[in-house]
């Protein structure tokens, strides 16, 4: 629904062979979304600095929680993306080296799909580029599902999983961004729902 919970030590949850529900160790944030239509659709956490949580809703909005690992912190709504009010936020990619840089992914067809910010949502740029047929988001562009931001030294790789395969770019240029298909022969035009990256050895899994 629209409530956020935290567990600081899930190893303390005892194994229960009956799979009965347990609230052992779970803490519900007092501050929450009071609009029942804004159901949480995705939750992502930062790497550096740690303990920042972003979450998106099924009704466009994105929220940020700083110091999310302790106490009962305030939940702050970031400045709204220019997304259509009916847009479903399916993913939020956070730069692991800079938690203020995020990319928001909206999955509905015929709405604009990708927005990017480097200042924690104070300002947003539309970056779907050639993944949209029209700059409004209408037309025959694919459905975007997930994204990942991967730093490589002084460069950054941006990846987006779509309904027609995996796409990437190293340059975000607003609405002029050019996304190129990744591994068209091996991955092909399949639906990409999830992207995971392990920085210590460069392993990418889609």
């Amino acid at each position: 629904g629209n409530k956020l919970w935290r567990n600081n030590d899930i190893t303390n949850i005892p194994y229960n062979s009956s799979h009965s529900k347990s609230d052992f160790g779970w803490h519900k944030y007092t501050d929450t979304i009071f609009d029942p239509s804004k159901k949480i659709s995705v939750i992502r956490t930062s790497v550096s600095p740690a303990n920042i949580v972003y979450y998106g809703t099924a009704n466009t909005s994105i929220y940020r929680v700083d110091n999310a690992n302790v106490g009962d912190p305030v939940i702050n709504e970031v400045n709204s993306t220019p997304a259509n009010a009916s847009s479903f936020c399916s993913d939020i990619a956070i730069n692991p080296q800079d938690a203020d840089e995020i990319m928001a992914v909206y999955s509905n067809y015929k709405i604009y799909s990708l927005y990017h910010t480097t200042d924690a949502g104070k300002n947003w740029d539309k970056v779907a580029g050639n993944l949209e047929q029209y700059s409004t988001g209408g037309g025959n562009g694919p459905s975007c599902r997930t994204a990942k931001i991967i730093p490589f030294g002084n460069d950054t790789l941006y990846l987006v999983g779509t309904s027609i395969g995996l796409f990437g770019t190293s340059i975000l240029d607003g609405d002029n961004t050019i996304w190129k298909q990744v591994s068209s022969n091996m991955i092909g035009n399949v639906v990409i729902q999830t992207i995971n990256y392990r920085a210590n050895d460069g392993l990418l899994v889609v």
Side-chain angles (χ1 to χ4, degrees), residues 106-186:
Y106 292 92
S107 284
N108 313 52
Y109 287 101
K110 301 189 182 304
I111 58 96
Y112 201 89
S113 301
L114 300 175
Y115 297 89
H116 176 254
T117 178
T118 57
D119 55 14
K122 294 183 179 66
N123 298 280
W124 292 93
D125 291 317
K126 298 165 73 173
V127 293
N130 61 328
L131 291 176
E132 304 285 1
Q133 183 176 6
Y134 304 118
S135 60
T136 59
N140 295 319
S143 166
C144 294
R145 310 296 178 90
T146 185
K148 190 66 72 177
I149 301 175
I150 303 175
F152 287 111
N154 294 325
D155 296 321
T156 304
L157 175 63
Y158 299 90
L159 294 174
V160 176
T162 78
S163 56
I164 58 169
L166 182 67
F167 289 79
T169 185
S170 61
I171 301 173
L172 294 180
D173 185 23
D175 221 11
N176 298 314
T177 301
I178 302 298
W179 295 92
K180 296 182 180 180
Q181 189 168 11
V182 178
S183 188
S184 57
N185 292 330
M186 183 174 291

Side-chain angles (χ1 to χ4, degrees), residues 58-96:
N59 194 10
T60 308
S61 301
I62 295 175
Y63 297 81
R64 172 172 164 149
V65 187
D66 289 278
N67 301 311
N69 60 316
V70 292
D72 194 13
V74 174
I75 295 172
N76 296 298
E77 184 171 6
V78 304
N79 285 357
S80 295
T81 68
N84 183 285
S86 63
S87 300
F88 175 92
C89 184
S90 63
D91 202 6
I92 299 170
I94 307 174
N95 186 327

Side-chain angles (χ1 to χ4, degrees), residues 14-75:
Y15 175 73
N16 187 326
S17 59
S18 70
H19 302 293
S20 298
K21 291 182 179 179
S22 169
D23 62 359
F24 189 85
W26 288 99
H27 162 78
K28 182 172 67 176
Y29 293 82
T30 301
D31 195 8
T32 188
I33 307 172
F34 294 101
D35 184 343
S37 69
K38 294 184 177 182
K39 296 192 185 319
I40 297 171
S41 53
V42 60
I43 302 171
R44 294 288 180 256
T45 58
S46 66
V47 177
S48 181
N51 304 315
I52 295 172
V53 170
Y54 287 95
Y55 62 88
T57 71
N59 194 10
T60 308
S61 301
I62 295 175
Y63 297 81
R64 172 172 164 149
V65 187
D66 289 278
N67 301 311
N69 60 316
V70 292
D72 194 13
V74 174
I75 295 172

